[in-house]
């Protein structure tokens, strides 16, 4: 179960990352190139899904370079076109779809007209529309209007001019070949229906399907009635199983589910040769041109150089298979739900793991790949076209922002750990440890140091008379004061032992006057004690021992438990001097080595060798120390 509480600051940081990711994604959508980026990112799906299997339902009769060399330059005479069309039908074509317009009157029109009257040949006508606003000449006579009256003002492409076939060719099936070209010149959509003067005209392949089935031209527009369906449909009452999804602009998305190699092509010259043994076996034949200068060369998602025939072939296959892709009316809900889920998972990943930044970026890239994969699956199994680019940008930008957040939090945590570590050991030592590999090796060195041990006299008796809170406050104040004085004079609080403090001078870093620093620190503590510990309400005092000498300073222990300290006789002597204060009834006992280091040999054994901050240090004499042989010369204050 995902349940954890977040500090308010961290919560705002994570919400800020989500907001910035949404803002970045939204700003990207305002760029003029955004629609093309979306299409180019999504169109690679066709390379994955396009089938190489031969579609025997369609055959191309190609007016190629060889045909032009043998028959002559284009345009061919009406007699040649009549002969070519007749041969195609005689060789078994179920219907002939001609990707060409014949607007001018020519010799031989009557023979071509007779062939067209059989209703097995479908010619083309072109409309200029709101997507391609170039004006056409309104030449020829429009035919092929739907028998369904009326034309909606919205949802169907509206035309302002046309180019049609000459009136001399009579009555025949016809469909438009009007194109919808994107900003980058690529054809990804087509208008199944076009409105001109309040009449609906179907596209070439829709007219071809009506001619193939022998049904009337009853194509019409219908509003989509499902949130998970398209905005509208192009359908025919005579073909109830056939319909084409359209968007609000009246465009249908081309489905490139067949590779170019899926369609067989035959040279038009071979078909004109009656002796050739060609059989179309009931296929739908599309007559078009690929010859240089004749073909309407266009880029498509499958190729940078395609012909209009290829577009008609893809429309025909998708029409018969009912495999048009479309954007559902509630398409916006899918990215919202996926984006929310991705946000939760990524934030959970950041909060619940301690992975490095590369892992977070990898996680974001994995989600972006998953989003694109879901898009592919949606196209394949649901025919949903929901481009993933915006969601991928959101996921990636969120990943980058979470990396920044994680790096910043890691730095803050590291600084916090360093601050905590520095409160237990010297800050310089803590910084040094940050750059060392953890090991069980002893890291020590020999140094000349001064040790100051401070203890509260009478504290055990004080404990018995006061509450735990009062005792704790007293100790906390004592530790704060002694730590501040140690830092002031360049010392390091090495250890807190009960009501005692051990301070080291020159144990880390460089402090050449460490003996003087220790004496000054002890004087500050003594003066503070007079005003605080020796107050009548407390009646406490301090005992301090100071010793100077060589010690082994550094880190000891294993990987599991290590300590930074000083080891040597100088440390033991300082603790013994502190204990001796009670017997000698003195506040401070200082070793001879400390006085020599502080004042030099010439000042020794005088009645008053040093006065600092109101505290006078004088020679006391020789004293024995428990655990040591011999006696030691000491100074007291």
């Amino acid at each position: 179960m995902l349940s954890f509480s977040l500090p308010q600051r961290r919560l705002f940081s994570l919400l800020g990352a989500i907001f910035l990711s949404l803002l970045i994604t939204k700003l990207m959508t305002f760029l003029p190139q955004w629609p093309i980026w979306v299409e180019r990112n999504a169109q690679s799906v066709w390379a994955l899904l396009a089938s190489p299997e031969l579609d025997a339902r369609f055959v191309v009769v190609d007016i190629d370079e060889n045909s032009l060399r043998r028959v002559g330059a284009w345009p061919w005479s009406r007699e040649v076109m009549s002969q070519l069309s007749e041969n195609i039908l005689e060789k078994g074509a179920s219907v002939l779809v001609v990707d060409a317009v014949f607007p001018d009157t020519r010799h031989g029109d009557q023979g071509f007209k007779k062939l067209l009257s059989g209703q097995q040949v479908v010619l083309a006508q072109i409309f200029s529309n709101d997507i391609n606003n170039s004006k056409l000449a309104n030449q020829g006579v429009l035919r092929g209007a739907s028998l369904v009256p009326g034309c909606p003002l919205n949802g169907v492409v509206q035309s302002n001019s046309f180019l049609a076939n000459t009136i001399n060719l009579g009555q025949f099936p016809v469909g438009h070949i009007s194109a919808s070209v994107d900003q980058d010149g690529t054809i990804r959509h087509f208008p199944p229906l076009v409105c001109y003067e309040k009449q609906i005209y179907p596209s070439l392949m829709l007219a071809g399907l009506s001619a193939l089935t022998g049904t009337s031209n009853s194509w019409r527009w219908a509003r989509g009635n499902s949130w998970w369906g398209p905005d509208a449909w192009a359908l025919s009452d005579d073909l109830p199983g056939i319909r084409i999804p359209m968007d609000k602009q009246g465009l249908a998305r081309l489905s490139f589910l067949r590779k170019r190699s899926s369609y067989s092509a035959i040279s038009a010259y071979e078909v004109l040769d009656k002796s050739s043994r060609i059989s179309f076996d009931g296929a739908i034949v599309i007559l078009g041109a690929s010859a240089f200068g004749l073909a309407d060369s266009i880029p498509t998602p499958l190729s940078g150089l395609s012909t209009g025939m290829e577009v008609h072939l893809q429309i025909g296959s998708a029409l018969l298979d009912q495999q048009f892709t479309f954007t559902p009316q509630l398409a916006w809900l899918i990215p919202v739900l996926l984006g929310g889920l991705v946000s939760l998972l990524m934030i959970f990943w950041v909060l619940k793991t301690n992975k490095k930044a590369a892992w977070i970026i990898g996680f974001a890239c994995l989600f972006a790949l998953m989003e694109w994969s879901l898009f592919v699956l949606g196209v394949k199994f649901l025919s949903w076209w929901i481009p993933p680019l915006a969601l991928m940008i959101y996921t990636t930008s969120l990943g980058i922002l979470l990396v920044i957040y994680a790096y910043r939090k890691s730095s803050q945590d590291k600084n916090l750990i360093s601050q905590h570590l520095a409160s237990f050991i010297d800050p310089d030592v803590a910084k040094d440890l940050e750059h060392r590999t953890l090991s069980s090796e002893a890291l020590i060195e020999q140094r000349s140091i001064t040790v100051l041990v401070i203890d509260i006299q009478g504290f055990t008796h004080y404990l018995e008379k006061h509450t735990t809170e009062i005792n704790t406050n007293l100790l906390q104040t004592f530790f704060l004061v002694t730590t501040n004085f140690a830092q002031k004079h360049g010392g390091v609080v090495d250890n807190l032992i009960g009501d005692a403090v051990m301070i080291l001078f020159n144990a880390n870093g460089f402090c050449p006057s460490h003996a003087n620093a220790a004496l000054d620190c002890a004087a500050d503590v003594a003066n503070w004690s007079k005003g605080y510990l020796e107050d009548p309400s407390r009646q406490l005092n301090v005992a301090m021992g100071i010793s100077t000498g060589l010690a082994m300073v550094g880190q000891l222990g294993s990987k599991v438990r290590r300590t930074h300290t000083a080891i040597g006789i100088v440390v033991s002597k300082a603790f013994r001097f502190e204990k001796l204060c009670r017997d000698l009834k003195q506040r401070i006992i200082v070793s001879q080595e400390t006085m020599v280091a502080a004042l030099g040999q010439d000042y020794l054994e005088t009645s008053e060798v040093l006065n600092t901050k109101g505290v006078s240090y004088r020679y006391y004499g020789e004293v024995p120390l428990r655990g040591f042989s011999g006696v030691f010369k000491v100074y007291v204050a």
Side-chain angles (χ1 to χ4, degrees):
M1 180 178 178
L2 181 60
S3 60
F4 49 85
S5 59
L6 288 176
Q8 190 176 39
R9 186 174 180 181
R10 290 181 64 186
L11 177 61
F12 285 156
S13 297
L14 294 173
L15 291 177
I18 293 175
F19 174 77
L20 282 177
S21 300
L22 290 171
L23 182 61
I24 291 170
T25 306
K26 187 62 178 178
L27 290 176
M28 292 284 287
T29 63
F30 289 126
L31 296 176
Q33 302 88 346
W34 175 254
I36 300 304
W37 291 347
V38 171
E39 291 291 350
R40 289 179 177 175
N41 172 260
Q43 73 182 24
S44 54
V45 68
W46 301 124
L48 292 175
L49 298 182
S51 171
E53 183 180 356
L54 179 67
D55 189 348
R57 297 170 299 183
F58 296 90
V59 176
V60 173
V61 172
D62 188 10
I63 304 174
D64 54 8
E65 298 289 350
N66 182 49
S67 300
L68 293 182
R69 283 195 302 270
R70 292 177 176 271
V71 179
W74 185 265
W76 288 345
S77 67
R78 295 289 194 267
E79 290 84 359
V80 171
M81 291 303 301
S82 297
Q83 185 63 56
L84 178 61
S85 301
E86 184 178 358
N87 288 357
I88 291 173
L89 294 177
E90 287 181 353
K91 292 179 182 297
S94 59
V95 67
L96 171 61
V97 177
V98 181
D99 183 21
V101 184
F102 303 94
D104 52 337
T105 300
R106 294 198 175 193
H107 180 269
D109 279 347
Q110 291 304 312
F112 199 21
K113 174 182 178 181
K114 183 177 180 181
L115 179 70
L116 294 176
S117 64
Q119 301 295 304
Q120 283 184 282
V121 180
V122 183
L123 297 188
Q125 58 192 11
I126 305 174
F127 289 99
S128 179
N129 49 56
D130 292 338
I131 297 170
N132 180 16
N133 273 321
S134 58
K135 276 275 190 179
L136 296 176
N138 286 354
Q139 185 177 353
V141 178
L142 282 177
R143 303 191 185 280
S146 174
L147 298 178
V148 179
C151 188
L153 295 177
N154 297 309
V156 176
V157 172
Q158 305 293 320
S159 172
N160 54 27
S161 59
F162 65 88
L163 180 65
N165 297 284
T166 175
I167 193 172
N168 287 353
L169 296 181
Q171 295 285 347
F172 48 85
V174 64
H176 76 80
I177 54 173
S178 307
S180 171
V181 184
D182 288 346
Q183 295 177 11
D184 60 348
T186 303
I187 290 186
R188 300 183 180 92
H189 304 81
F190 77 100
L193 307 173
V194 169
C195 276
Y196 182 79
E197 293 186 351
K198 298 182 179 181
Q199 285 189 298
I200 290 179
Y201 293 85
S203 67
L204 182 64
M205 293 309 295
L206 269 65
L209 184 59
S210 294
L212 175 68
T213 57
T215 56
S216 63
N217 182 7
S218 58
W219 293 99
R220 62 184 178 86
W221 175 90
R223 188 182 306 278
N225 55 6
S226 170
W227 290 115
W228 299 111
D231 295 297
W233 297 98
L235 49 84
S236 171
D237 294 332
D238 294 332
L239 297 169
I242 303 294
R243 56 182 185 172
I244 303 174
M246 297 191 299
D247 60 20
K248 293 179 180 178
Q249 286 73 44
L251 298 178
R253 181 173 292 277
L254 286 163
S255 296
F256 293 87
L257 290 171
R258 301 274 181 173
K259 293 186 180 296
R260 301 175 73 184
S261 58
S262 296
Y263 303 101
S264 59
I266 300 174
S267 172
Y269 175 75
E270 293 183 49
V271 179
L272 282 168
D273 183 2
K274 284 198 171 186
S275 64
S276 63
R277 298 181 179 181
I278 298 173
S279 175
F280 294 111
D281 295 327
I284 300 172
V285 175
I286 296 180
L287 174 62
S290 66
F292 182 77
L294 296 185
D296 47 344
S297 300
I298 51 173
T300 66
L302 284 183
S303 173
L305 188 61
S306 301
T307 64
M309 291 185 298
E310 294 180 45
V311 173
H312 299 315
L313 288 167
Q314 296 288 354
I315 294 174
S317 294
L319 192 62
L320 295 181
D321 296 332
Q322 282 296 278
Q323 289 184 328
F324 287 103
T325 56
F326 61 91
T327 301
Q329 295 184 48
L330 277 184
W332 59 269
L333 186 59
I334 302 298
V336 169
L337 294 176
L338 280 177
L341 178 61
V342 167
S343 301
L344 288 176
L345 290 175
M346 291 184 67
I347 289 174
F348 178 80
W349 174 270
V350 170
L351 293 176
K352 289 298 184 179
T353 64
N354 295 316
K355 300 298 184 183
K356 295 182 179 179
W359 283 87
I360 301 175
I361 290 295
F363 204 46
C365 292
L366 180 63
F367 271 125
L369 179 61
M370 179 197 72
E371 291 155 3
W372 200 86
S373 300
L374 288 176
F375 162 69
V376 175
L377 294 175
V379 172
K380 182 174 179 61
F381 295 106
L382 298 174
S383 297
W384 284 357
W385 187 269
I386 307 176
L389 182 60
L391 186 57
M392 293 170 69
I393 290 175
Y394 168 76
T395 300
T396 306
S397 59
L398 180 59
I400 293 172
L401 290 173
L402 288 179
V403 165
I404 297 172
Y405 164 82
Y407 178 78
R408 182 181 177 189
K409 182 181 179 298
S410 176
S411 299
Q412 291 174 343
D413 291 344
K414 186 177 180 181
N415 291 336
L416 184 60
I417 292 172
S418 298
Q419 292 171 8
H420 281 294
L421 187 61
S423 69
F424 287 90
I425 60 177
D426 177 46
D428 293 331
V429 176
K431 289 181 180 179
D432 180 62
L433 291 177
E434 291 178 4
H435 305 287
R436 289 185 181 271
T437 302
L438 185 62
S439 70
S440 297
E441 181 184 358
L443 303 174
I444 57 176
E445 63 174 322
Q446 188 178 54
R447 303 187 68 155
S448 175
I449 67 171
T450 297
V451 182
L452 167 60
V453 177
I454 309 171
D455 183 55
I456 302 176
Q457 288 187 345
F459 185 68
T460 302
H461 183 66
Y462 185 82
L463 283 174
E464 298 174 353
K465 294 183 176 182
H466 297 85
T467 64
T468 302
E469 183 179 0
I470 293 176
N471 296 328
T472 302
N473 290 336
L474 177 67
L475 271 182
Q476 178 68 6
T477 302
F478 171 67
F479 290 148
L480 286 174
V481 169
T482 53
T483 299
N484 290 336
F485 285 145
Q487 291 178 340
K488 174 183 175 182
H489 295 288
V492 176
V493 175
D494 181 81
N495 213 341
L496 303 175
I497 310 167
D499 60 339
V501 178
M502 182 172 77
I503 302 174
L504 305 179
F505 295 86
N506 201 43
N508 195 60
F510 183 64
C511 182
S513 302
H514 50 88
N516 298 83
L519 293 173
D520 290 343
C521 182
D524 282 340
V525 173
N527 291 330
W528 168 79
S529 176
K530 290 177 183 179
Y532 187 81
L533 294 179
E534 297 176 28
D535 184 89
S537 63
R538 299 183 184 88
Q539 297 181 354
L540 299 171
N541 205 341
V542 290
M544 291 178 275
I546 304 176
S547 178
T548 300
L550 294 175
M552 301 305 294
V553 181
Q555 303 166 36
L556 296 171
S558 68
K559 290 183 179 180
V560 179
R561 181 70 170 87
R562 293 177 69 80
T563 185
H564 187 278
T565 188
I567 300 174
I569 293 175
V570 62
V571 178
S572 300
K573 286 172 66 176
F575 275 96
R576 296 291 188 271
F577 289 152
E578 180 268 314
K579 298 297 182 185
L580 191 60
C581 286
R582 295 169 179 79
D583 298 333
L584 301 184
K585 294 182 172 46
Q586 301 293 334
R587 278 201 186 94
I588 308 172
I589 296 180
V590 186
S591 71
Q592 182 184 36
E593 293 80 5
T594 302
M595 300 307 292
V596 170
L599 302 174
Q601 190 71 29
D602 295 340
Y603 291 91
L604 294 181
E605 300 183 7
T606 59
S607 58
E608 189 175 292
V609 295
L610 180 63
N611 187 299
T612 177
K613 298 186 177 182
V615 177
S616 297
Y617 294 93
R618 58 184 177 80
Y619 178 66
Y620 180 82
E622 296 178 341
V623 297
L625 294 178
R626 185 170 59 86
F628 290 88
S629 60
V631 292
F632 299 90
K633 293 180 178 180
V634 296
Y635 296 77
V636 298

